[in-house]
Amino acid sequence: MSLLSQAVAPQGELLDEPTIIQTLEPLRGRFTGQKVLVLIPDHTRTLPLPQLFRLVADVLGDASQLDFMIALGTHPPMTDEHIRQILGLTEEERRDNYGHVGLLNHEWADPETLVSIGTVTQERVREIAGERWHPTLGGDVDILINRAAVEADGIVILGPTFPHEVVGFSGGAKYFFPGISGADMINVTHWLGALAGVRGTIGVKDTPVRALIHEAATHLGTPTTLIALVVQGGGLGGMFVGDYLEAWSAAADLSSERHIVWVEQPYRFILSVAPPMYDELWTAGKAMYKLDPALADGGELVIYAPHLEEVSVVHGHYISEIGYHTAPYFLNQWERFAHVPLGVVAHSTHVRGDGAWLDGQEVPRVKVTLASRIGPEECARLNLGYLDPDSINLEDYAGREDEGVLLVRKAGETLYRSRGDS
């Protein structure tokens, strides 16, 4: 199976519903009488999910069993009400029109939900990592995945592709690892990405982490079809349906055209507004990742998230212990942090950015400040700057690009990159 269908809207336009329906139509009848698992994102990704859920459920309506699973990775489980909300379903619609459709959370921490499909040997990880290899990546990697993926007759991945801090571009097989995987793959992929650094990874199509994810995916025997989406605003600028490698590749190419803003010079100060869909710093960190390549050495980035009160529901105790630091800080004191999951250490370095270790001291490349409901004492413990969000008037930062000041009103999905950093 290669690409079954595709549609791309002209720059500045969106695909209309008849075009979306036509692009999905080749899937009709491909799964008749089969048990189908559809993987979808949670609320931290922008896409017209209520529309797409209905259209995909319709086109797969002759499946013997149809389940939609939220590829949470290690994000907190969603309540039934929240799932209905992101799908745009009332209780009555859920009961009367979609009662036959399973709506499931991936539960990465429950071993009963996982099954091993093989191993990526340490030797193979080292080969894939290349110059990014470091002994902290550990040994062989057990490829644990939600058993629903193994028990299904067919898998359909429905998700957007954006520049991504860990893997280069999101989407595709990332919905397996870390989307519905166990801790080993989550930790190794994220730490490998951290060793490469955000600025060396984000917006790069072919990365070691993407290669590792694709390597692991070869161990899954369930036939997989990808509906790769390129989101613009609240709609679709493009969609590619078919083989999960080819559809993702095409979507990543389009995303590189539509989701990267090139600036002539890096900025000394960036006010990066994290939208409410990032309800903890674990995800609101994207307001840093997507702007880091456009921030000058010695500059400051403020994550403005006046709604945010939580660092991480799942991992907060570890983050509170280690704070936010650069990769050299951890690598030069590894014995202090070896007990912390690699994925958590990776998150810490992603938020803090690049740096160096000189004379036993950490020297960060930039300053990162948090303007949220997390108070100044906690920010100090986390090794982040603090700014009172109520003291900020966004308009004070608008239109000041010539002064080296950038305001980004919705950060987290569009990558900003300085031409001097390319």
Side-chain angles (χ1 to χ4, degrees), residues 129-168:
E131 63 180 13
R132 303 300 185 185
W133 163 259
H134 191 274
T136 53
L137 286 166
D140 297 347
V141 182
D142 189 9
I143 310 172
L144 292 169
I145 196 167
N146 195 295
R147 64 174 64 250
V150 176
E151 295 172 353
D153 299 314
I155 297 171
V156 175
I157 300 172
L158 170 68
T161 294
F162 291 105
H164 192 271
E165 60 278 1
V166 172
V167 67

Side-chain angles (χ1 to χ4, degrees), residues 194-314:
L195 291 170
V198 169
R199 294 193 302 156
T201 300
I202 195 164
V204 178
K205 185 177 178 182
D206 297 315
T207 65
V209 178
R210 175 57 66 173
L212 181 56
I213 287 172
H214 285 171
E215 174 77 14
T218 64
H219 292 260
L220 178 63
T222 311
T224 300
T225 303
L226 172 63
I227 306 170
L229 311 170
V230 177
V231 175
Q232 292 184 254
L236 299 182
M239 59 188 304
F240 304 87
V241 179
D243 172 77
Y244 74 90
L245 295 174
E246 291 199 31
W248 172 81
S249 178
D253 288 342
L254 184 60
S255 176
S256 70
E257 298 174 6
R258 303 288 175 91
H259 295 149
I260 301 178
V261 174
W262 289 93
V263 301
E264 294 302 322
Q265 298 292 334
Y267 293 92
R268 62 176 177 82
F269 182 91
I270 298 176
L271 184 62
S272 184
V273 181
M277 68 178 180
Y278 303 139
D279 50 10
E280 52 182 13
L281 189 52
W282 186 263
T283 50
K286 291 180 183 293
M288 165 60 176
Y289 317 149
K290 299 294 168 70
L291 278 302
D292 192 9
L295 186 61
D297 290 353
E300 179 180 7
L301 182 138
V302 175
I303 300 174
Y304 175 71
H307 61 281
L308 194 150
E309 301 177 346
E310 187 78 52
V311 172
S312 171
V313 172
V314 176

Side-chain angles (χ1 to χ4, degrees), residues 288 295 298-302 352 364-369 384-386:
M288 165 60 176
L295 186 61
E300 179 180 7
L301 182 138
V302 175
R352 198 61 189 85
R365 187 183 79 88
V366 297
K367 180 179 180 181
V368 181
T369 298
L384 298 175
Y386 169 80

